[in-house]
Amino acid sequence: MPFYSDSEIPVRDDLAQAHAAQFERFARAGTWGTAVQRLAVISEARQAGIDAGMLEAPEDGGAVSDVELPEDVRAIIRCLAASPRDFDMGTYQQARDAGLSDAEFAELVAIVSFIVNLDVYARGIGVPLRPFAEPQPGNPSREQPVEAVLEQAFVPTIPNPPEGGAIAKEMYGPFKPYIMRALSIVPDEFRAHLELEQAQYVLLPKIMDFDYNHHEGLTRPQVEVVAGRVSAINDCFY
Amino acid sequence: MNPEALVRPELDTGVPSGDVLLAFAEAIIGTDRAALDAARTALAEALGPAAVSGASAVAANFSKNDRVANGIGIPVDDIVFNGTEDLREQLGLNAYKSAENTFRHM
């Protein structure tokens, strides 16, 4: 059954498939978190949005995690989900003080950002938030690219080629801006970030083609009005 | 497009149906469900129902990117930073808390 079959608003197949794939990813072990840990993180993020009045609680929220997150980690998740403008280096340091490695922190930022993304979309087209799938057994891969180095972000990232080596060429092509490289310390989350970007914003090879329209009914300047207004409300300097 | 309308939405964007898009962008990440429902209807009437999906996807995408950017603490790329001094000043972007992720490297 199509992922948004209950929507009165038409949804492109590739967009629905990209979103369904993200929900499936949440239910599997990640690079650093088990499936039940990842479910606990996205559940906390969604609840923060509900508590802030930014989301409506669904009748069927789906699977529930039995993992109890530490209070300081919950606070970090809630800040990023519901008040991203307040997230700063001090919040990152709280995460490190709570025992998260840089790579674990990056995976947490990734999946919180992704579930906010998916929930905002559902709210936008007027359907209930999608239920979480049952977490699957399995162990995190714990693979960290040795090419990731501390550049100018809080956490290490893989530099653009040539400094980033062969893995950078494979992941980025000739160049990626920082926003796309931000999660590169966890390559699986980098790839998920890229997949959403291409389905939702613009195909990256077309990013400088301002005559290309990725969304039916919207020109590129109209797309930029929505993008720019959302980022302004979130006080995002980037 | 008039970028100042992105921070002062009472201004004209210079884009067709820009006011409808600004209202939808604000409502989709806001807390007023009735305002969102009204903004969705207005957008569908102005640009068609497919545009609602497109605008929702873009708003969702940048909700993601804003959190990735602020959460990971990335600076603005040099290629964007250089040459946008006047625009950043005009829009008041330098006052954002997340601007520190760029300015701390200077």
Side-chain angles (χ1 to χ4, degrees):
Chain A
M1 181 186 300
F3 197 59
Y4 293 113
S5 60
D6 55 336
S7 174
E8 294 179 7
I9 299 293
V11 179
R12 284 195 339 258
D13 287 346
D14 68 297
L15 182 58
Q17 288 165 10
H19 286 191
Q22 293 303 322
F23 275 90
E24 289 170 11
R25 289 186 69 249
F26 290 145
R28 299 195 299 265
T31 303
W32 297 98
T34 63
V36 288
Q37 288 172 327
R38 287 160 63 89
L39 176 60
V41 169
I42 60 173
S43 299
E44 188 72 36
R46 175 177 280 182
Q47 191 59 49
I50 293 168
D51 293 345
M54 301 158 65
L55 299 171
E56 292 74 31
E59 283 186 23
D60 175 14
V64 176
S65 176
D66 56 7
V67 169
E68 191 166 331
L69 297 169
E71 186 55 42
D72 39 10
V73 173
R74 292 181 59 211
I76 291 160
I77 294 167
R78 296 178 77 84
C79 178
L80 187 61
S83 188
R85 68 176 62 187
D86 295 321
F87 203 99
D88 60 12
M89 185 178 265
T91 325
Y92 159 71
Q93 195 55 54
Q94 287 172 26
R96 298 289 280 128
D97 293 345
L100 294 179
S101 70
D102 279 333
E104 290 168 334
F105 171 76
E107 183 165 323
L108 180 144
V109 168
I111 63 176
V112 168
S113 302
F114 297 167
I115 190 59
V116 171
N117 173 139
L118 296 161
D119 285 350
V120 165
Y121 180 80
R123 191 170 189 255
I125 63 169
V127 299
L129 307 185
R130 306 290 88 172
F132 296 137
E134 287 296 331
Q136 303 300 306
N139 295 318
S141 63
R142 299 181 181 279
E143 294 169 356
Q144 184 167 327
V146 296
E147 294 85 351
V149 295
L150 196 58
E151 297 183 88
Q152 292 185 312
F154 300 152
V155 305
T157 45
I158 298 175
N160 271 306
E163 289 81 4
I167 192 173
K169 280 187 184 171
E170 182 266 318
M171 290 169 69
Y172 305 155
F175 173 82
K176 283 282 182 295
Y178 230 139
I179 185 61
M180 297 316 307
R181 296 193 294 113
L183 300 172
S184 56
I185 193 173
V186 190
D188 280 352
E189 303 304 335
F190 159 83
R191 292 186 190 95
H193 183 31
L194 199 63
E195 286 167 12
L196 285 171
E197 195 79 7
Q198 301 222 80
Q200 298 179 142
Y201 178 44
V202 65
L203 297 172
L204 293 183
K206 298 279 192 183
I207 200 161
M208 298 307 291
D209 179 354
F210 294 97
D211 293 324
Y212 168 72
N213 297 327
H214 190 58
H215 297 286
E216 183 183 340
L218 291 177
T219 64
R220 184 67 181 277
Q222 288 172 320
V223 162
E224 297 305 327
V225 166
V226 175
R229 184 63 188 140
V230 166
S231 292
I233 292 169
N234 285 331
D235 278 12
C236 184
F237 186 73
Y238 189 90
Chain B
M1 185 174 82
N2 172 18
E4 196 167 359
L6 303 178
V7 294
R8 297 181 187 87
E10 68 277 13
L11 300 179
D12 183 4
T13 62
V15 169
S17 299
D19 55 338
V20 177
L21 291 163
L22 285 175
F24 185 77
E26 190 147 347
I28 192 174
I29 60 171
T31 58
D32 186 338
R33 181 57 193 243
L36 174 58
D37 292 342
R40 184 187 307 112
T41 300
L43 179 55
E45 287 176 355
L47 297 173
V52 175
S53 175
S56 298
V58 173
N61 195 69
F62 282 81
S63 296
K64 163 176 67 70
N65 287 2
D66 295 343
R67 285 165 175 80
V68 169
N70 289 7
I72 299 294
I74 57 172
V76 172
D77 299 272
D78 289 346
I79 195 170
V80 174
F81 186 79
N82 297 327
T84 56
E85 293 87 349
D86 291 346
L87 182 64
R88 283 186 277 108
E89 188 65 37
Q90 177 193 1
L91 302 186
L93 307 187
N94 295 337
Y96 290 177
K97 193 173 189 180
S98 60
E100 178 59 22
N101 293 330
T102 296
F103 291 129
R104 67 189 162 89
H105 299 292
M106 297 178 167

